[in-house]
Amino acid sequence: MKISVIVALILVLAVASVPRPDERAQILASAYALIGQYPYSWGGGHAGSAGPSLGTCKGYRGDIKPCPATRTNGLDCSGLTRWVYKIAYGHDVLGPGTTDDHLRRLRPAPVPAPGDLVFFGTAKRTHHVGVYVGDGQMINAFKTGTIVRVDPVNALDDLLGYYRM
């Protein structure tokens, strides 16, 4: 009897923490609409408000030299997820900052669901984020020289986990 109550409680908590279907649908629709539309720009998407912006060369370590970010209107990975969530929730729920800053505003997803954010790195220092779309795929701004696109979650080998509001 006690075990069944515990299992039921775990299931209720897991279901309660999944984004509502309308939120999830809006997150996915927003992310899919950006595929192929914007180039990666280091620091892009973090101007005064969420959305494409010129990037910065501060801290840039990309393969393309010289750094193209200050002349590229686009999005970096956290700028993309910030904008997608702003569109979906109607306001800037993630706010400015890096993947580390955004991770602190979210909670772990007990069971990954489309619309969750998928983070890479460690709990102390993340370096990438994408929007999980299911089936092991994510929409992300991957790196300099690419556009917003779909990649497998295993494109990077240091998956930290899935997180949501």
Side-chain angles (χ1 to χ4, degrees):
M1 178 83 169
K2 288 183 182 182
I3 291 175
S4 63
V5 170
I6 292 171
V7 169
L9 181 59
I10 289 170
L11 288 173
V12 166
L13 291 174
V15 170
S17 67
V18 172
R20 290 190 325 258
D22 57 325
E23 288 173 347
R24 204 168 344 151
Q26 188 60 40
I27 292 167
L28 293 173
S30 301
Y32 275 111
L34 300 179
I35 293 173
Q37 300 299 312
Y38 296 95
Y40 181 93
S41 181
W42 178 261
H46 298 286
S49 62
S53 68
L54 293 176
T56 180
C57 289
K58 183 179 180 181
Y60 176 78
R61 292 185 202 91
D63 296 333
I64 298 174
K65 305 290 188 209
C67 168
T70 57
R71 57 186 187 280
T72 304
N73 190 49
L75 302 159
D76 67 6
C77 62
S78 58
L80 169 70
T81 56
R82 176 186 180 197
W83 195 27
V84 165
Y85 268 46
K86 179 185 178 187
I87 294 167
Y89 286 94
H91 63 285
D92 192 2
V93 295
L94 292 177
T98 65
T99 54
D100 290 331
D101 298 319
H102 292 173
L103 184 65
R104 285 189 282 275
R105 295 179 181 105
L106 302 168
R107 65 183 192 280
V111 177
D116 290 344
L117 297 183
V118 55
F119 284 84
F120 299 85
T122 67
K124 291 187 179 191
R125 185 139 169 44
T126 58
H127 64 86
H128 190 68
V129 62
V131 179
Y132 183 64
V133 295
D135 296 325
Q137 303 288 309
M138 66 178 166
I139 295 173
N140 68 137
F142 195 68
K143 65 180 182 175
T144 302
T146 66
I147 57 173
V148 173
R149 66 189 196 181
V150 178
D151 283 303
V153 169
N154 66 6
L156 298 165
D157 61 4
D158 58 348
L159 172 67
L160 175 62
Y162 300 84
Y163 293 79
R164 63 178 61 128
M165 294 304 300

